[in-house]
Amino acid sequence: MSRFDGWLPQATRYDTPHYDARPGPLPADVTLLVVHNISLPLGWFGGPHVSDLFTGRIDYNADPSFADLRGLKVSSHFFIRRDGRVIQYVSANERAWHAGRSCFQGREKCNDFSIGVELEGSDFVPFEVAQYAALADLAVALLGHYPLTDVQGHQHIAPGRKTDPGPCFDWDFFRKLLNKKASDEPALVAAIAGLRVVKGVPQSQ
Ligand SMILES: [Zn+2]
């Protein structure tokens, strides 16, 4: 079996310089899926700015709020648009820069061992069913290549500092969609059933 290159064929690929090598062994160390939300400007959907931010091309003059983004070098592995289309910026074998200062089960620097998925959205607006469906598809596809054990929100691994994906993300609905997927993927039934999905509460501190 040839080694998986970390790029999912169902995603549209946009390359970025915002990544580096994971420090741990592949694929064994990639165990965590982190869910985020982002929109640029905040609350505006569509447009090029999120991809421009993640690929180092953002026009800081396009909106007054973008001044705060100056000098920020960030990325994620995946971005799910409101209609469920998936964009991939970084191979899942590499380290994307999405989590920042973070800690999960006592281990810091979650970027080292996680895959980051940004949903186009905000803390204030419900997410689209197409986005949950795309996220569930993505999680199942990744389980075919990585021994993921947990799904967390950015808010859970960086409490007090981050609030996304926020109170509008329905963790129970996502878990239900995952359970449904298990019936289509007999080889992955155990992996899907074993994936621990964080509950939406508490959004602590
Ligand atoms: Zn985030």
Side-chain angles (χ1 to χ4, degrees):
M1 197 174 93
S2 65
R3 191 181 146 203
F4 178 57
D5 68 1
W7 294 96
L8 287 186
Q10 59 268 48
T12 301
R13 176 172 171 170
Y14 291 174
D15 283 281
T16 177
H18 294 178
Y19 72 93
D20 52 12
R22 293 189 186 275
L26 280 170
D29 203 37
V30 182
T31 53
L32 176 66
L33 193 67
V34 179
V35 180
H36 305 254
N37 81 50
I38 188 169
S39 48
L40 291 174
L42 178 63
W44 289 72
F45 304 146
H49 302 305
V50 171
S51 289
D52 285 351
L53 176 67
F54 289 162
T55 56
R57 282 187 282 235
I58 193 162
D59 172 6
Y60 296 108
N61 298 313
D63 185 87
S65 67
F66 294 175
D68 296 342
L69 304 173
R70 237 175 243 282
L72 204 63
K73 281 194 176 173
V74 292
S75 62
S76 72
H77 293 95
F78 298 97
F79 178 47
I80 301 179
R81 288 283 203 181
R82 300 295 290 182
D83 62 3
R85 278 177 301 149
V86 180
I87 298 166
Q88 182 171 5
Y89 306 96
V90 175
S91 161
N93 286 347
E94 306 285 352
R95 178 169 63 183
W97 303 340
H98 57 97
R101 191 158 41 81
S102 52
C103 184
F104 178 61
Q105 292 182 337
R107 185 173 175 188
E108 299 193 333
K109 300 182 183 171
C110 294
N111 284 341
D112 290 356
F113 57 96
S114 71
I115 293 173
V117 184
E118 297 272 359
L119 303 182
E120 186 172 37
S122 75
D123 289 7
F124 315 107
V125 185
F127 295 90
E128 300 287 349
V129 171
Q131 294 181 291
Y132 289 100
L135 182 61
D137 285 347
L138 193 56
V140 170
L142 291 169
L143 277 171
H145 301 287
Y146 302 95
L148 297 173
T149 58
D150 290 88
V151 186
Q152 294 271 306
H154 199 187
Q155 68 196 86
H156 305 107
I157 60 167
R161 194 174 71 80
K162 292 291 174 180
T163 60
D164 63 308
C168 294
F169 187 81
D170 187 340
W171 292 97
D172 290 333
F173 180 58
F174 173 58
R175 175 76 253 180
K176 278 185 195 130
L177 283 184
L178 272 180
N179 294 345
K180 266 192 202 163
K181 297 286 298 177
S183 56
D184 306 334
E185 303 281 351
L188 294 174
V189 166
I192 293 170
L195 193 60
R196 289 184 291 266
V197 177
V198 72
K199 293 291 179 188
V201 288
Q203 186 175 314
S204 54
Q205 296 150 33

